[in-house]
Amino acid sequence: MTGDAFDKLRTRIQGLRAKTIDNGCTEGEALAAAAKVAELLDRHDLSLSDVEIRAAPCERREYETHRKKRIPLDDCIGAIAAFCDCRVWREKSPAGEGRYVFFGLRSDVEVAHYLTELIDTAVRSELGRYKTGADYQRFRHQERHLANASFALGMVASIADKLMAMKVGRDEVINGTGRGLVVLKAAVVDTELEKLGLKLRTVSRASRMVSPMAYDAGGEAGASFAIKPAIRES
């Protein structure tokens, strides 16, 4: 049963990906997809018994950044993992490029990877639009690199806040069913993670200079990453 439920979830995610990341989509469709995938994940979890969740295997899923330096998405990746009841860490690939590694139940890491793609795509798209606007044109040429980074940072920070608020609401609904699914899943993931024997550490990040105007513009774009009721069905 667990395998069948996961296959159905993965099929739905592949359908959403085709409408958003693979073939492109409007901003509204991308935001609707984020809400839809959360709904699908919660429905999937509630379809499983506690025994099935305890027996479910944990997996790792990597998201390649193709960058050797840190990127603004770093400031959102923890929120994505928390939203999907995963653990996440950053490591370097053999090529020396950064990548995020999600670890958790198969369904959760599948959704986390998709949301990372979705948010990464949305930030790039919004930045492209911002760069065509009058506010951006006011920056001198030598200031535009900072403006680009500031916009992206503002946007991912806003999205991270929204994801965490959404997670609180989703957990309240799930806990209202009388089943401790959130605690159960966390225990399963932590137990399996401990078996890996990884030496993970938290790295403090240095403060960064930002352009307040560009950062605020990114925050406004991130605030529009709102919860919409549904996406068109195939």
Side-chain angles (χ1 to χ4, degrees):
M1 179 178 175
T2 305
D4 291 343
F6 173 71
D7 288 341
K8 290 179 181 178
L9 176 66
R10 182 166 56 183
T11 298
R12 296 298 298 277
I13 292 174
Q14 288 171 345
L16 290 173
R17 180 179 281 114
K19 293 177 180 178
T20 53
I21 296 163
D22 293 346
N23 294 334
C25 65
T26 66
E27 180 183 1
E29 286 172 333
L31 304 183
K36 186 65 177 177
V37 77
E39 174 193 329
L40 294 173
L41 183 57
D42 291 344
R43 190 184 305 165
H44 171 271
D45 288 348
L46 290 170
S47 74
L48 303 179
S49 68
D50 290 4
V51 173
E52 286 173 320
I53 291 177
R54 289 192 184 95
C58 286
E59 297 181 355
R60 61 177 278 159
R61 182 80 186 270
E62 299 164 358
Y63 184 85
E64 304 288 348
T65 69
H66 304 293
R67 297 287 188 275
K68 292 189 175 182
K69 294 182 179 180
R70 291 183 177 273
I71 60 176
L73 195 60
D74 283 356
D75 287 352
C76 193
I77 208 71
I80 295 172
F83 187 77
C84 298
D85 297 316
C86 294
R87 303 295 177 264
V88 67
W89 60 88
R90 190 179 188 277
E91 64 181 28
K92 286 189 176 181
S93 69
E97 296 175 339
R99 64 186 177 197
Y100 308 116
V101 182
F102 293 104
F103 182 83
L105 300 181
R106 285 192 302 170
S107 55
D108 294 331
V109 297
E110 186 80 12
V111 171
H113 191 275
Y114 170 64
L115 282 179
T116 305
E117 287 183 296
L118 184 68
I119 294 169
D120 196 14
T121 300
V123 170
R124 294 174 191 274
S125 178
E126 290 292 348
L127 177 58
R129 278 192 279 270
Y130 175 65
K131 289 165 73 172
T132 65
D135 288 342
Y136 184 79
Q137 301 305 318
R138 294 190 183 99
F139 288 104
R140 292 178 296 178
H141 181 74
Q142 61 268 33
E143 297 173 333
R144 290 183 178 179
H145 178 74
L146 178 61
N148 295 341
S150 300
F151 178 92
L153 286 169
M155 186 169 178
V156 298
S158 179
I159 292 173
D161 289 344
K162 186 172 292 294
L163 287 177
M164 295 308 295
M166 286 173 59
K167 176 60 173 168
V168 171
R170 291 172 56 215
D171 285 353
E172 288 177 353
V173 172
I174 292 177
N175 290 334
T177 65
R179 296 178 60 192
L181 290 181
V182 178
V183 175
L184 174 59
K185 288 173 65 178
V188 170
V189 174
D190 288 343
T191 297
E192 292 303 307
L193 182 60
E194 189 174 348
K195 292 178 182 178
L196 298 181
L198 297 174
K199 301 296 183 183
L200 302 177
R201 60 191 175 92
T202 301
V203 179
S204 58
R205 301 188 60 181
S207 58
R208 288 166 292 188
M209 290 181 61
V210 298
S211 161
M213 185 170 71
Y215 186 91
D216 289 346
E220 290 176 6
S224 73
F225 200 86
I227 305 307
K228 302 293 179 69
I231 192 169
R232 294 192 307 266
E233 298 293 339
S234 301

